[in-house]
Amino acid sequence: MSTTPATSASHRDDDTTAEPRSDNPASRPARLLPADPTLRRAGLLVLLNALGNGLYFPLGVLYFTRIVGLDATAVGLGMTVAGLVGVVAGVPAGRAADRWGARRVGSWLWGACGVATASYTLVHSYAGFLAAVICGTGLQMASRGVQGAIYADVLPAQTRVAARAYLRTVTNVAMGVGGGFGAIVLQLDTRGAYVTVILINAVTFWAPALMVRRLPVAPHVLARKADPAGAAPVDRWRAVRDRPYLTVTVLNAVLAVQYTLAEVGLPLWIVERTEAPRWTAALLAIVNCVLVAVLQVRVARRASQVPSAVRAMGWAGLLLGAACAVYALSAGLSPVWAVLALTVGAVVQVLAEVLSAAGGWTLGYELADARLHGVYQGVFGAGMSAGMMAGPALVTVTAIQHGTTGWAVLGAMFAAAGLAVRPAVRWAQRDGDWRGDRP
């Protein structure tokens, strides 16, 4: 399920230990629906929520500025504060999932998100806006780690990464459809139309909140809970002191800056620094959505083990560096060639995105303590949120303000982060034998 208003939001693999493709519930390209009933149910939850978010995202800020009458800068500041609250809340939310169960806590969070979203229709002042958006955005971002813990509980460990790729594809398609209807509402531009969209979005949180508790727990989780050895005392806050895991989380967060690069950096770059027409930004967004939908499941199948995930992250960093170089070249070109260069850069970036997403899912699970997926996924999700929050400012002060030099800095940062994943993972693997979903 989408968790932040800012998200779009992602190999090679010759591991002989990979699961046979025939056992993979998301590996049947000829089927629109996976064979695994749990994955089908999870797909429905994601579909509902992503439709609502896709419908709301294009007009959320405009509702508060045009309909409520708030200052645009003040709205942006309020959303930034709300995002910071969400980053901080991710770890305690994950800890709550470990204590009371990921499905139960996820249900609470998404139900509360629905209430907070519906409260937007009652906002008439800046104080009311702050209260509503901090609750709504904060709860959504905090739920990212809990969502990861839910997948750890209900999806088979050997097919979990491919299943998440399938769910991400569903998310992209659903958000695209929702965004199309959102564009119609923008044309209507009436308070009634905006309010209707907000309430529909609230319902798309409440429905999954009711449905998530019906997802069955995977057999490997039941077996672990039934094992007397699993009842041994553990450090419930280990994730926040697990330095190797935190290092991998930070590197993944650096690569996550790519999402705001596509959503914020490129539109600004196109308008301010190139001769490309403004509609190029929409073209690149369409290219991204289509290619992610086509490639994500295929790529995830090849990054489902730690060695292949490490390679995927390394390639992602290098490809992002290459994309930054191509974007920089577009500044001095004619309109036609600028569009072509930007499109090539966007395709390269999509390859990096699907590689880093699949690699990040694998490492986020396999390097975690399987008994504490809530707090570990909370840490990993908080890192993702922090990276995406820092992205707009980082892209602006580098590429937008300094042109080619700024793009070079960004490209070097991405490449270094991707290549640094390998030694960080080796450190994590030396740190203990308790990691991952091994018996």
Side-chain angles (χ1 to χ4, degrees), residues 41-360:
R41 294 181 189 179
L44 178 58
L45 305 186
V46 167
L47 176 69
L48 291 172
N49 189 244
L51 278 171
N53 283 329
L55 183 62
Y56 171 77
F57 286 167
L59 50 85
V61 173
L62 293 178
Y63 168 74
F64 290 115
T65 56
R66 291 179 56 79
I67 305 301
V68 179
L70 302 178
D71 176 72
T73 302
V75 168
L77 177 61
M79 295 182 74
T80 300
V81 172
L84 290 172
V85 171
V87 171
V88 173
V91 176
R95 175 65 185 89
D98 285 332
R99 181 170 182 179
W100 291 296
R103 292 173 302 163
R104 178 183 298 177
V105 174
S107 178
W108 293 343
L109 285 173
W110 291 321
C113 284
V115 173
T117 299
S119 73
Y120 293 169
T121 63
L122 305 177
V123 170
H124 297 288
S125 66
Y126 190 65
F129 161 75
L130 279 179
V133 79
I134 286 174
C135 288
T137 304
L139 288 165
Q140 283 185 273
M141 293 181 69
S143 69
R144 175 176 280 121
V146 176
Q147 182 181 348
I150 290 171
Y151 294 150
D153 280 353
V154 305
L155 297 174
Q158 68 271 21
T159 59
R160 189 163 50 209
V161 172
R164 289 205 65 170
Y166 168 77
L167 295 175
R168 186 169 190 247
T169 299
V170 172
T171 298
N172 272 37
V173 173
M175 288 195 68
V177 173
F181 285 104
I184 297 174
V185 174
L186 286 175
Q187 287 297 112
L188 296 176
D189 198 30
T190 64
R191 180 180 182 85
Y194 283 97
V195 167
T196 299
V197 165
I198 290 170
L199 293 178
I200 290 174
N201 192 30
V203 171
T204 65
F205 285 108
W206 289 328
L210 295 173
M211 298 167 66
V212 69
R213 295 198 184 203
R214 294 180 174 271
L215 293 177
V217 176
H220 74 280
V221 176
L222 293 174
R224 186 175 66 240
K225 291 180 178 179
D227 184 359
V234 293
D235 179 1
R236 298 294 180 182
W237 292 98
R238 172 184 280 162
V240 300
R241 291 185 288 272
D242 188 341
R243 290 179 296 169
Y245 191 86
L246 291 174
T247 301
V248 174
T249 296
V250 170
L251 295 175
N252 185 67
V254 172
L255 294 178
V257 171
Q258 65 181 292
Y259 297 110
T260 50
L261 171 63
E263 296 167 5
V264 178
L266 280 181
L268 289 174
W269 176 256
I270 289 167
V271 172
E272 297 183 11
R273 293 295 197 114
T274 76
E275 297 298 321
R278 296 185 179 218
W279 52 258
T280 307
L283 170 66
L284 300 186
I286 294 171
V287 168
N288 180 278
C289 288
V290 171
L291 289 182
V292 168
V294 170
L295 296 175
Q296 188 66 81
V297 172
R298 292 175 172 83
V299 169
R301 290 201 300 267
R302 299 180 178 274
S304 59
Q305 305 293 323
V306 170
S308 54
V310 169
R311 290 196 296 273
M313 298 290 269
W315 277 108
L318 293 174
L319 287 171
L320 285 171
C324 288
V326 176
Y327 291 146
L329 291 175
S330 67
L333 302 178
S334 66
V336 173
W337 284 104
V339 171
L340 179 61
L342 290 165
T343 303
V344 170
V347 171
V348 174
Q349 184 178 343
V350 168
L351 296 176
E353 180 180 336
V354 295
L355 283 165
S356 64

Side-chain angles (χ1 to χ4, degrees), residues 352-421:
E353 180 180 336
V354 295
L355 283 165
S356 64
W361 292 329
T362 296
L363 298 180
Y365 285 123
E366 294 299 321
L367 300 181
D369 186 336
R371 299 166 296 180
L372 301 170
H373 268 306
V375 69
Y376 268 88
Q377 299 312 313
V379 166
F380 207 72
M384 284 281 294
S385 297
M388 289 188 286
M389 282 198 58
L394 183 60
V395 172
T396 300
V397 300
T398 54
I400 306 304
Q401 292 187 5
H402 298 287
T404 301
T405 302
W407 281 116
V409 170
L410 278 178
M413 178 192 74
F414 286 131
L419 294 175
V421 169

